Amino acid sequence: MRSLVEEKMLVTFWGTRGSISTPGRTTEKYGGNTPCVTIENQGTRIILDAGTGIRNLGIELVREAESRKQPLALHLFLSHTHWDHIQGLPFFQPAYLKDTKVTIYGSPKKESFLASVLKRQMDYEYFPVSMSALTADIRIQEMSEENIHLGPIMIDWEEQVFHPGGSVRYRFSAHGKKVVYATDVELDLFFGRDNRTEEKEAAAREYLRFIHGVDLLIADGMFSAEEYPGKAGWGHASIPAVIEAAAKAEVKQLAVFHHDPQHSDKNLDELWVKYRSRYLLGPHKMDLFWAREGLTLAI
Amino acid sequence: MSKKDEILKDQNGFDTTEVIPKGKFSAITPLSQRVYLEITGSEEKDGIFELGERAVVIGRSAECDIQLGVQNVSRKHARVLLQNEEYLIEDLESTNGVFVNGIKVVKCVLRNNDQIEIGGVKLVFNEEKRLRKK
């Protein structure tokens, strides 16, 4: 008989910061590494994005592979290829292990986009080790319209256009539970009341349908309401926009993610205090928190 | 030119950095750290539990390092351990779960002033770092 924990997806945050890593005392609680999250269930291990947080994950995985004497089989899903989501990959230790298998998934939107972008990041001008020196068995797979099945986890996805260059949101379903990873999208542009268009209406409907009733939504909430007007068009959501959309879609638990590099632990604590109580006591009870490094949840 | 002047001027006459004798620093240990759990929500067990390098098990059982005699606490409920120079708490598959700052967690790296809840008992994680004289 499987334990309750085995039936659940384990979600761990390895990097929660947006745009650039922010080491230092003022960010040690929520973390300074750029995006990287893992989802695990019954031996299937999925990695979301390869920001600087993937370095610490890699150290843990190598330690685990050595103690279990089992090669690693990993599935890396990229939301997009902006630096903060891929810059940890050259420092991902399992990629240098010959018997590791890594499949990298990403948007099929641009031909050869994914393979060439990842390879260019490791051009000699930028990094001393070329991608061909990664000895792991690395396969790059641009996704098709078909759902992906990995062990007990089913994955579907949608393109997000309200981010410069676009991004992908993913939904992971297992044992009747759902987790959505939807970072780097400017919700304010299509949920805002100004300049409504059919395209924006459709984008809002699709977004709400995709996240409807999910058990955990990990979503971009980079700017405070006060900061957002000065950052409109940057491709990131304001905190109230993501909270309102999640509440409307009856999301059970919302992890605000992709924290602004300017936000210290104190700032994020204040935002948490400001918004959390409203939704714990409101008509639709939604658990709301700010994602932090080193946190593992069971969904 | 005195001997001291020779030390403080280089060959071009510019000032050089004076070497401070090591003894001036020896009276200070760079950093001391006190890490403890403050138990606040248990009628019988309020108090402070210092954390060290050894893992600490929290639960209702008498075998636990921190025994909480509360019905909602599982026999072996949670463990606090030092890993990679950081303290973390993990749920030992308890019935009622472990909450950190109101979020139900399986595992969580702890930071100063994190509020932990175990079966209704509240614990605060405290990490004090300070310069200390020997």
Side-chain angles (χ1 to χ4, degrees):
Chain A
M1 192 175 141
R2 288 200 176 103
S3 73
L4 274 176
V5 167
E6 284 178 307
E7 289 291 337
K8 293 189 173 187
M9 286 185 275
L10 294 185
V11 180
T12 302
F13 295 94
W14 300 88
T16 61
R17 189 68 50 176
S19 303
I20 190 165
S21 58
T22 56
R25 280 187 64 188
T26 60
T27 55
E28 68 175 14
K29 178 175 177 182
Y30 291 92
N33 282 303
T34 64
C36 182
V37 178
T38 50
I39 299 180
E40 293 173 63
N41 185 244
Q42 294 172 14
T44 298
R45 186 170 268 134
I46 288 166
I47 305 167
L48 308 175
D49 279 331
T52 61
I54 204 171
R55 191 183 73 87
N56 282 336
L57 167 64
I59 293 166
E60 286 291 314
L61 289 174
V62 168
R63 195 177 293 154
E64 183 190 304
E66 283 171 356
S67 76
R68 289 189 183 174
K69 296 189 170 40
Q70 270 184 352
L72 295 162
L74 307 166
H75 302 274
L76 168 60
F77 288 79
L78 296 176
S79 61
H80 63 312
T81 54
H82 281 165
W83 268 346
D84 49 333
H85 297 258
I86 62 168
Q87 66 195 155
L89 196 57
F91 299 90
F92 186 48
Q93 284 187 12
Y96 296 85
L97 299 179
K98 208 167 62 181
D99 51 0
T100 298
K101 285 185 180 170
V102 187
T103 309
I104 305 177
Y105 304 82
S107 170
K109 219 171 158 187
K110 296 169 187 168
E111 283 177 27
S112 308
F113 167 76
L114 196 51
S116 69
V117 171
L118 294 177
K119 194 169 168 232
R120 286 201 323 257
Q121 181 187 216
M122 296 180 75
D123 275 357
Y124 192 65
E125 300 295 328
Y126 305 114
F127 196 69
V129 181
S130 75
M131 191 139 176
S132 61
L134 301 181
T135 46
D137 176 4
I138 297 175
R139 291 165 197 213
I140 295 175
Q141 188 175 325
E142 289 169 2
M143 296 177 300
S144 68
E145 284 181 4
E146 288 176 19
N147 296 337
I148 299 166
H149 292 266
L150 298 172
I153 305 176
M154 193 272 278
I155 301 114
D156 59 338
W157 59 278
E158 286 180 352
E159 297 280 358
Q160 303 185 125
V161 294
F162 290 87
H163 186 73
S167 63
V168 174
R169 57 177 169 252
Y170 294 101
R171 184 166 51 193
F172 303 88
S173 309
H175 314 292
K177 301 282 183 179
K178 292 182 196 306
V179 175
V180 166
Y181 181 71
T183 188
D184 291 64
V185 60
E186 191 167 345
L187 299 181
D188 306 71
L189 288 185
F190 55 97
F191 280 106
R193 288 174 187 85
D194 301 334
N195 305 318
R196 302 301 305 162
T197 63
E198 182 46 43
E199 186 202 9
K200 289 178 180 177
E201 297 283 355
R205 277 196 305 274
E206 282 167 19
Y207 183 83
L208 291 175
R209 191 167 51 228
F210 197 78
I211 66 168
H212 187 263
V214 299
D215 299 275
L216 173 65
L217 169 64
I218 302 165
D220 182 337
M222 193 162 174
F223 305 123
S224 68
E226 295 75 24
E227 290 161 342
Y228 177 74
K231 315 281 172 118
W234 289 26
H236 297 286
S238 73
I239 292 159
V242 67
I243 294 175
E244 281 169 31
K248 201 170 180 180
E250 299 182 357
V251 164
K252 295 183 182 74
Q253 204 169 13
L254 169 62
V256 178
F257 187 72
H258 203 280
H259 310 314
D260 188 324
Q262 292 298 104
H263 286 173
S264 66
D265 291 336
K266 186 170 172 282
N267 296 144
L268 295 178
D269 278 343
E270 285 166 358
L271 288 165
W272 178 72
V273 168
K274 180 178 172 183
Y275 287 105
R276 186 156 193 256
S277 56
R278 295 186 200 176
Y279 288 90
L280 278 178
L281 303 171
H284 170 66
K285 195 180 168 216
M286 179 173 74
D287 216 346
L288 168 66
F289 65 98
W290 267 246
R292 59 189 262 188
E293 269 179 45
L295 170 66
T296 301
L297 308 169
I299 304 295
Chain B
M1 187 183 281
S2 71
K3 194 166 183 184
K4 192 180 176 205
D5 289 340
E6 281 173 33
I7 294 168
L8 294 177
K9 300 281 182 189
D10 69 7
Q11 58 185 357
N12 299 313
F14 292 119
D15 288 351
T16 61
T17 305
E18 189 176 6
V19 177
I20 301 171
K22 280 182 184 172
K24 283 198 174 180
F25 296 108
S26 63
I28 295 175
T29 302
L31 202 64
S32 82
Q33 183 169 301
R34 181 179 175 227
V35 187
Y36 59 94
L37 287 171
E38 192 178 350
I39 305 164
T40 60
S42 166
E43 287 174 11
E44 60 187 79
K45 191 79 186 182
D46 274 13
I48 280 171
F49 191 94
E50 303 280 345
L51 297 170
E53 292 189 3
R54 198 172 62 82
V56 165
V57 177
I58 305 167
R60 212 175 64 236
S61 161
E63 296 167 30
C64 293
D65 304 287
I66 302 179
Q67 191 189 0
L68 301 172
V70 176
Q71 191 152 14
N72 294 336
V73 174
S74 295
R75 284 173 45 75
K76 287 187 179 172
H77 197 116
R79 188 164 66 135
V80 177
L81 65 154
L82 188 61
Q83 197 175 76
N84 301 331
E85 299 180 30
E86 294 181 313
Y87 284 92
L88 61 92
I89 189 162
E90 60 181 15
D91 188 347
L92 298 175
E93 298 196 34
S94 67
T95 305
N96 291 310
V98 172
F99 292 79
V100 176
N101 302 330
I103 302 297
K104 192 174 186 181
V105 307
V106 171
K107 199 157 46 169
C108 187
V109 172
L110 294 170
R111 299 294 179 209
N112 189 36
N113 205 33
D114 272 341
Q115 316 284 311
I116 301 163
E117 193 186 319
I118 290 175
V121 179
K122 291 183 172 58
L123 303 95
V124 182
F125 176 78
N126 288 282
E127 197 169 28
E128 294 174 358
K129 290 177 184 171
R130 61 189 160 197
L131 286 174
R132 183 178 64 180
K133 284 188 179 176
K134 265 187 177 172

